Amino acid sequence: MERKHRTMIELKNILKERILQILGPKYPISMHDLDISYPPDIQMGDLALSFPFKLAKTLKQSPRTIAQQMAPLLCSLEHIHKVEIAGGGYINLFLSRDRFFLNQLEKSEETSLSADETKVIVEHTSINPNKAAHIGHLRNSCLGDTLVRCQQYKGEQVEVQNYIDDTGVQVADVVFGFLEIEKKNLKEIQKIKGRFDHYCWDLYTQTTRFLRDNPEAQDRKADILKNIELGKKPESDVALYVSRQILKAHLRTMKRLGVSYDLLACESDIIILKFWESAFNLLKDKNAAYFVDSGKHKGCWVIKLEGKAEQEKILVRSNHTVTYVGKDIAYQLWKFGLLDADFFYEPFIQQNSQTVWITSSHKTHHKKDFGKASRVYNVIDARQAYPQQVVTQGLKSLKFKEQAEKSVHFSYEMVALSPKSLQELGYNVSEEEQDKDFLEVSGRKGLGIKADDLMDRLEQKALNEVEQRNSDWPAPKKAQTATDIACGALRYFMLKFARNSIIVFDFEDVLSFEGETGPYLQYTLVRINSIFNKLGIKKHAEKESLRSDILSQSLSLNSLPANEQDDYWDLVLHGSQLDEEVLHSTRTLEFLHLAKYTFNLCQKFNAYYHKYSVIQEKDEKIRNLRILIIGYIYNILQKALDLMGIPQPKQM
RNA sequence: ACGCCUGUAGCUCAGCAGGAUAGAGCGAUGGAUUCCUAAUCCAUAGGUCGCCGGUUCGAAUCCGGCCAGGCGUACCA
């Protein structure tokens, strides 16, 4: 009986099983050898088998000879209409094109992926709530949000958390600035007009400078930090106000990118609810943490790093305060449901139709079930690899082996600034800095590009482009389209690089809407939309009914002109690989695969679009086939853009 | 000093669980607008895959060494 495949992944699995059945009894071949890849050129075949190379040694025959013996046996494979030997010993398979395409069209709404976990937590964004978000934070959120979308697409239940360090040193700095430099009380702070996060951006820089020039003020700052932790007024009230205001600003910024969260987990609640005490008890019980009574760490509680002789990391300082890593171990334990402590929750804001929850230290009437994940991703930049390793070590030392393995530091490199872009921003670049390839973004120094400023600039540029092309549109439509394009441009930009590639920020690159960019992808979708519009089809239901009309007729790609057949087939084949790319991206945590796949699909489509007209085509069979392929690509493209969080304007 | 990462076209980057002729965008040059929107498409030029050695039928990809750059190794986060 014929087995239907929903996607290329499934077809490959079906083929692998069958090949193993056929060749297994005669040759020493395993599932592992049976990797099915793609030939470099569609003329050479649709799928490629390279296992003859792997068998050459054991069989003491040339790969080509082996391929020649095997090829005839594979001719009977379902879905395959031709087998060829190529190169030094490849076996290339040609699919039955009509059958494959019809199968794809029938099953286009399904995926072949499935969940592996009971619950996945992704923590991302986690910006210190003391200043405006900058481009480095945007990279974090774009990567994190794409991970979330891909995991959901795969079928996982995903919970998105954003960690709010509302009692940390950075918040204390700004509180110091307000109280000691500006001499403002809470009421006066509340009266500040304009973008509060941008105000604090400057104040933070000013404070850093002040503290550098006035070392004696450090005592007062330490005092502030302590009072924030202890909940003493007025410092703690100011800290709370500042951190909540900035948090709201961050959420607004991220909303512009289509990024949202399920839970905002606050460090202040971790402290009040004594998460650390619970974790500390566990660590002490199992001798995972121990007290040091001599040497440079005298008086501290530390944890040992596995495999690294003499390496220990401080969890509790000699003044009895807990380090960030210590609190993070407690938080990580809680995420896995391993801690004998829990938060309370209350709604923080409504975003679209979704409630964003925040932790609370007071009992509330809301019954929520956050945490208890079976896998956790922490989206944190590469410079924090070491503390992240300590967090995982905490789990390991407590013998939570499985959880340690499923604690993933989703690491990515920073966004840096070129000396050139710094000059564009009006900074004085020193000679020493001039010679560097890039300079690190520094919130402390105020060195960086604020996320909102960049978004504003992108939107302005997009608006100019929209004006040029569609001057007759109503203003709100122009504005919305510009917003969509700006978001698409930024999100694609953040995804197109490998994680461990440092992005040296350049305005020209980000502001580009041509070539390998988000707007290129959006434009491709707009073009397809436009064809449907001209065909008089605007609604999804109309598209579906046209599709089923066409599908009810007997169709064959052979009806297409000879030169078109391969171009058409190339689109079909490429389009079928979305799930494979999502899986690949999710496994490697490299979403550039998905990005580049989508870009590639658009390139192929745009070339096709240019060569073959749908509306002008007189031959009904050909026209129908073209309608099918553009609808097919449209669906795939929509899914791909959704996964990357790239908005889909109807026109542009 | 140790640990991790990076070095591929003029520039920015893919490709690295070994596999067919090393790709894309930008930039450069030359073309396409009786058009389903040129935010597009087509063509041309451009490479010692940092260097040396090793493993292999086969190395940009794996291993070792060297060179260059970055990041990290806080009682910061």
Side-chain angles (χ1 to χ4, degrees):
Chain A
M1 199 182 73
E2 174 174 337
R3 281 171 66 188
K4 297 255 176 172
H5 49 88
R6 289 173 290 192
T7 62
M8 186 54 91
I9 297 179
E10 279 191 357
L11 177 63
K12 282 189 178 178
N13 287 336
I14 293 169
L15 288 173
K16 281 185 204 170
E17 276 174 39
R18 285 290 298 139
I19 293 170
L20 206 59
Q21 278 170 16
I22 294 169
L23 299 178
K26 297 181 185 164
Y27 298 96
I29 193 169
S30 72
M31 203 64 176
H32 181 72
D33 303 321
L34 273 180
D35 225 24
I36 304 183
S37 58
Y38 301 98
D41 191 309
I42 198 164
Q43 307 287 340
M44 299 165 79
D46 302 318
L47 299 172
L49 297 165
S50 58
F51 59 81
F53 291 99
K54 298 193 165 66
L55 295 183
K57 203 165 203 173
T58 38
L59 294 179
K60 294 198 165 63
Q61 281 174 316
S62 82
R64 180 120 192 150
T65 316
I66 298 168
Q68 273 161 347
Q69 289 165 18
M70 287 176 169
L73 302 172
L74 301 177
C75 286
S76 64
L77 278 173
E78 243 182 348
H79 307 289
I80 302 299
H81 94 276
K82 193 165 78 173
V83 179
E84 265 183 11
I85 297 151
Y90 288 96
I91 302 175
N92 289 340
L93 308 176
F94 292 77
L95 296 170
S96 311
R97 294 183 173 187
D98 288 344
R99 194 162 142 192
F100 183 84
F101 186 40
L102 288 174
N103 217 329
Q104 287 298 115
L105 287 172
E106 267 177 52
K107 303 276 184 178
S108 68
E109 296 311 313
E110 299 174 38
T111 90
S112 46
L113 308 176
S114 58
D116 295 314
E117 303 294 334
T118 54
K119 184 183 195 177
V120 173
I121 286 178
V122 177
E123 181 205 320
H124 67 75
T125 306
S126 306
I127 312 170
N128 271 307
N130 72 327
K131 60 178 177 304
H134 60 63
I135 37 170
H137 302 127
L138 290 177
R139 188 176 193 183
N140 183 305
S141 303
C142 288
L143 287 170
D145 190 57
T146 304
L147 171 65
V148 170
R149 288 162 188 262
C150 285
Q151 290 283 352
Q152 280 168 342
Y153 177 80
K154 181 171 164 258
E156 301 291 355
Q157 189 202 331
V158 185
E159 186 172 298
V160 190
Q161 299 192 3
N162 181 359
Y163 183 65
I164 313 301
D165 187 1
D166 53 359
T167 50
V169 185
Q170 296 211 20
V171 171
D173 276 331
V174 172
V175 171
F176 179 95
F178 276 125
L179 296 178
E180 304 303 323
I181 299 176
E182 301 206 324
K183 308 278 183 199
K184 283 190 167 77
N185 61 31
L186 183 59
K187 274 202 174 144
E188 287 163 325
I189 296 169
Q190 286 167 340
K191 278 186 197 146
I192 291 169
K193 299 242 159 47
R195 286 179 163 176
F196 188 70
D197 55 335
H198 290 200
Y199 187 96
C200 291
W201 175 282
D202 295 330
L203 181 57
Y204 182 43
T205 313
Q206 208 186 325
T207 307
T208 308
R209 213 178 304 129
F210 183 91
L211 288 167
R212 187 196 60 202
D213 298 341
N214 303 277
E216 71 283 358
Q218 287 292 349
D219 288 349
R220 172 61 183 133
K221 201 194 95 178
D223 211 37
I224 290 176
L225 182 59
K226 209 169 85 195
N227 288 346
I228 292 172
E229 273 211 29
L230 295 172
K232 276 196 186 161
K233 291 177 187 186
E235 291 90 342
S236 65
D237 278 354
V238 174
L240 185 69
Y241 178 77
V242 169
S243 63
R244 290 300 184 269
Q245 285 306 111
I246 301 262
L247 172 56
K248 280 179 193 162
H250 289 163
L251 294 180
R252 271 196 297 275
T253 303
M254 294 311 167
K255 197 185 168 198
R256 295 177 81 176
L257 292 165
V259 177
S260 190
Y261 310 87
D262 296 309
L263 179 66
L264 310 168
C266 299
E267 186 180 82
S268 53
D269 297 320
I270 287 182
I271 292 170
I272 296 167
L273 295 167
K274 302 196 185 304
F275 275 35
W276 168 247
E277 280 76 352
S278 301
F280 198 25
N281 287 336
L282 276 177
L283 289 161
K284 283 191 281 198
D285 282 354
K286 304 208 178 172
N287 289 321
Y290 59 94
F291 188 76
V292 182
D293 47 18
S294 66
K296 59 174 181 175
H297 294 159
K298 186 179 174 187
C300 299
W301 284 85
V302 300
I303 189 165
K304 250 215 168 78
L305 255 90
E306 226 168 63
K308 302 203 173 162
E310 308 301 313
Q311 278 249 51
E312 43 187 36
K313 186 79 191 164
I314 292 163
L315 301 177
V316 182
R317 303 181 188 103
S318 52
N319 68 357
H320 311 299
T321 56
V322 186
T323 61
Y324 157 82
V325 189
K327 288 176 225 171
D328 217 23
I329 289 176
Y331 180 33
Q332 190 75 359
L333 284 166
W334 173 83
K335 283 177 180 167
F336 280 110
L338 298 172
L339 204 62
D340 183 25
D342 204 354
F343 295 109
F344 302 105
Y345 306 98
E346 57 193 18
F348 188 63
I349 54 162
Q350 284 289 124
Q351 252 185 7
N352 306 325
S353 54
Q354 196 198 346
T355 306
V356 179
W357 293 82
I358 192 163
T359 56
S360 171
S361 50
H362 308 290
K363 200 167 166 34
T364 66
H365 63 277
H366 301 287
K367 289 263 176 289
K368 299 297 291 180
D369 200 25
F370 291 113
K372 306 186 187 76
S374 60
R375 177 180 283 272
V376 174
Y377 293 95
N378 295 326
V379 183
I380 303 174
D381 83 78
R383 287 167 295 184
Q384 295 196 48
Y386 181 55
Q388 275 297 301
Q389 209 183 323
V390 180
V391 169
T392 307
Q393 182 62 55
L395 293 170
K396 267 191 225 161
S397 302
L398 290 169
K399 309 281 185 255
F400 296 125
K401 200 179 157 215
E402 197 187 327
Q403 286 85 349
E405 274 163 16
K406 289 183 170 190
S407 284
V408 183
H409 174 201
F410 181 115
S411 136
Y412 63 92
E413 269 296 349
M414 60 183 162
V415 181
L417 301 164
S418 63
K420 185 184 137 214
S421 54
L422 272 168
Q423 274 167 339
E424 272 184 72
L425 287 164
Y427 288 103
N428 285 325
V429 181
S430 69
E431 264 181 53
E432 188 195 349
E433 290 170 328
Q434 196 75 259
D435 291 339
K436 294 212 166 199
D437 290 334
F438 61 83
L439 295 159
E440 206 172 322
V441 169
S442 166
R444 221 167 266 282
K445 293 184 195 154
L447 212 67
I449 296 156
K450 296 187 204 73
D452 281 314
D453 289 351
L454 178 61
M455 289 300 288
D456 290 346
R457 218 164 137 174
L458 275 163
E459 282 178 14
Q460 188 52 53
K461 190 187 173 201
L463 190 61
N464 291 344
E465 300 287 329
V466 173
E467 289 279 5
Q468 276 175 36
R469 279 157 250 245
N470 306 289
S471 55
D472 56 324
W473 284 6
K477 184 175 176 184
K478 284 181 196 167
Q480 183 56 52
T481 309
T483 306
D484 288 348
I485 292 169
C487 176
L490 186 74
R491 290 199 63 141
Y492 190 89
F493 181 81
M494 289 301 180
L495 294 183
K496 72 192 274 197
F497 302 94
R499 277 184 295 140
N500 57 13
S501 162
I502 294 174
I503 299 180
V504 181
F505 184 88
D506 186 285
F507 278 109
E508 226 176 287
D509 291 344
V510 191
L511 289 169
S512 167
F513 296 160
E514 285 165 24
E516 198 197 336
T517 66
Y520 176 94
L521 310 186
Q522 294 171 315
Y523 184 65
T524 308
L525 199 74
V526 163
R527 284 184 137 177
I528 301 177
N529 239 324
S530 173
I531 300 174
F532 278 117
N533 280 338
K534 297 239 157 133
L535 285 168
I537 293 160
K538 299 211 165 146
K539 292 180 191 134
H540 181 70
E542 293 169 339
K543 234 177 261 173
E544 281 306 298
S545 96
L546 177 66
R547 199 177 76 126
S548 53
D549 270 5
I550 296 173
L551 280 174
S552 66
Q553 303 159 24
S554 73
L555 288 167
S556 168
L557 304 201
N558 291 328
S559 317
L560 294 167
N563 64 333
E564 185 178 348
Q565 286 184 24
D566 280 353
D567 291 335
Y568 192 101
W569 174 241
D570 198 19
L571 281 174
V572 173
L573 200 60
H574 201 71
S576 70
Q577 292 159 32
L578 175 68
D579 283 17
E580 213 173 12
E581 292 296 334
V582 175
L583 197 62
H584 186 205
S585 291
T586 315
R587 279 191 182 149
T588 56
L589 298 177
E590 287 289 9
F591 297 102
L592 69 86
H593 297 304
L594 175 61
K596 286 182 189 292
Y597 162 80
T598 312
F599 172 63
N600 223 271
L601 183 67
C602 288
Q603 273 189 316
K604 284 179 195 290
F605 179 80
N606 279 320
Y608 181 87
Y609 171 94
H610 194 258
K611 264 165 106 173
Y612 311 105
S613 170
V614 178
I615 291 167
Q616 311 232 318
E617 181 54 49
K618 301 281 191 306
D619 184 315
E620 204 190 333
K621 271 192 176 167
I622 295 175
R623 192 173 131 112
N624 282 343
L625 279 165
R626 289 182 187 164
I627 291 172
L628 280 183
I629 193 75
I630 66 166
Y632 172 75
I633 298 296
Y634 189 78
N635 285 341
I636 294 158
L637 200 49
Q638 275 195 315
K639 282 187 205 169
L641 293 183
D642 268 340
L643 287 170
M644 293 186 282
I646 297 174
Q648 300 166 17
K650 292 272 179 284
Q651 283 177 280
M652 47 190 287

